[in-house]
Amino acid sequence: MSGKIVRDVVVPSDNVPEGDNLITLYLPADWDTSGKKYPVLYLLHGMWGNNNDWVNNSMNTITNNAIQSGWCSELIVVMPYCSDDFYVNGYSWGVNYEDYFHEDLIPFVEANYPCRTDRSSRAISGLSMGGYGTVYHAFSYPEKFCVAYSMSGAVEGMGMPVTPSLRQIFEQKGYTEDDFASLPELTLECGKEDNMCYSAGESTHIYLESIGFPHEYIVRSGVHDWAFWTVCLPKALKAVGKYFK
């Protein structure tokens, strides 16, 4: 049964400007009558994108196919708008996106849709800037997410204190081998010909290997485009499917 797309839902918030507080959702077809609660994937867009990017690039078909193939259970997919604010507080003046994400967006989704709210039922993924947002939120709030799947992610940040690299997040949090089992399962995937983000993924992978943090690192032919990301999405759904029973 195909899922239902609901576009441009407004999330009440004082943390981001009006217009930046939109989400688009993929919902199971009978979400409002089934009596079930569903796991949730937060799926983030890249710079210059918006909350409808994924829907406009086949996510509905890909997700339907993943569910019908048994890779993943029925789920809710939340696709938020972020303007170009890197999913953090203070990247743009007056925009507190991190606060919005955790104080407004997640509570709104869980109050208005039939969501399971345990850690093993919440995951995050995204592309490019959204690949950065994925690792930023997953490893800043590891108690909230079971899986982080970064596609062509800008995982070294943007050289600003408000956008620390994944390595800096690990160091700031003081994560050691004793913490690794409690951190989200991580996949980094990037194209070998991606001139924007390949080097960030490679250096992050080398760092994670050096500290012994288990993760999956996928490098294949490809550039920074939707042809690459639409091949990533089924893998992300498989990754969350191990938890989303």
Side-chain angles (χ1 to χ4, degrees), residues 10-22 81-85 88 90 92-97 100 104:
V10 176
V11 178
S13 178
D14 293 324
N15 284 308
V16 296
E18 185 176 353
D20 287 4
N21 55 335
L22 300 176
Y81 181 57
C82 182
S83 189
D84 294 331
D85 297 311
V88 299
S92 298
W93 184 86
V95 179
N96 293 315
Y97 198 92
Y100 163 73
D104 304 323

Side-chain angles (χ1 to χ4, degrees), residues 113-158:
Y113 300 94
C115 303
R116 302 207 308 247
T117 58
D118 56 292
R119 177 182 183 264
S120 62
S121 298
R122 192 188 297 115
I124 188 166
S125 181
L127 65 90
S128 193
M129 179 184 76
Y132 174 79
T134 293
V135 299
Y136 179 83
H137 289 280
F139 291 94
S140 297
Y141 300 87
E143 73 282 1
K144 292 187 177 182
F145 302 100
C146 60
V147 170
Y149 199 109
S150 176
M151 313 171 189
S152 308
V155 291
E156 286 195 318
M158 293 296 284

Side-chain angles (χ1 to χ4, degrees), residues 15-242:
N15 284 308
V16 296
E18 185 176 353
D20 287 4
N21 55 335
L22 300 176
I23 59 173
T24 291
L25 301 108
Y26 169 98
L27 299 162
D30 59 348
W31 69 273
D32 52 348
T33 58
S34 69
K36 300 177 184 176
K37 289 186 179 291
Y38 301 94
V40 184
L41 171 64
Y42 290 85
L43 185 60
L44 312 183
H45 68 77
M47 187 164 276
W48 310 305
N50 62 58
N51 52 295
N52 290 308
D53 276 7
W54 275 106
V55 171
N56 294 340
N57 287 277
S58 303
M59 75 75 53
N60 192 5
T61 300
I62 292 168
T63 305
N64 290 339
N65 289 343
I67 294 168
Q68 291 162 10
S69 299
W71 299 345
C72 186
S73 67
E74 287 189 299
L75 77 166
I76 293 171
V77 183
V78 180
M79 293 157 279
Y81 181 57
C82 182
S83 189
D84 294 331
D85 297 311
F86 255 75
Y87 298 94
V88 299
N89 285 350
Y91 187 79
S92 298
W93 184 86
V95 179
N96 293 315
Y97 198 92
E98 179 179 348
D99 293 346
Y100 163 73
F101 195 86
H102 293 277
E103 296 174 5
D104 304 323
L105 191 158
I106 292 176
F108 175 87
V109 169
E110 294 181 348
N112 288 278
Y113 300 94
C115 303
R116 302 207 308 247
T117 58
D118 56 292
R119 177 182 183 264
S120 62
S121 298
R122 192 188 297 115
I124 188 166
S125 181
L127 65 90
S128 193
M129 179 184 76
Y132 174 79
T134 293
V135 299
Y136 179 83
H137 289 280
F139 291 94
S140 297
Y141 300 87
E143 73 282 1
K144 292 187 177 182
F145 302 100
C146 60
V147 170
Y149 199 109
S150 176
M151 313 171 189
S152 308
V155 291
E156 286 195 318
M158 293 296 284
M160 301 166 60
V162 297
T163 54
S165 67
L166 184 56
R167 175 175 185 156
Q168 289 171 324
I169 292 170
F170 267 66
E171 292 172 346
Q172 290 166 5
K173 291 285 188 178
Y175 292 142
T176 68
E177 190 172 349
D178 292 339
D179 302 304
F180 291 171
S182 64
L183 298 179
E185 179 181 307
L186 173 64
T187 300
L188 303 173
E189 183 166 6
C190 198
K192 288 187 285 188
E193 295 80 30
D194 185 338
N195 293 326
M196 294 182 69
C197 291
Y198 171 76
S199 62
E202 180 72 9
S203 62
T204 299
H205 162 64
I206 291 169
Y207 164 70
L208 294 174
E209 276 204 321
S210 75
I211 63 170
F213 180 69
H215 62 288
E216 185 171 12
Y217 181 54
I218 301 172
V219 178
R220 56 185 171 87
S221 182
V223 296
H224 205 77
D225 65 5
W226 280 103
F228 188 86
W229 303 321
T230 54
V231 176
C232 294
L233 183 56
K235 301 174 195 177
L237 291 167
K238 278 188 176 182
V240 302
K242 291 183 293 184

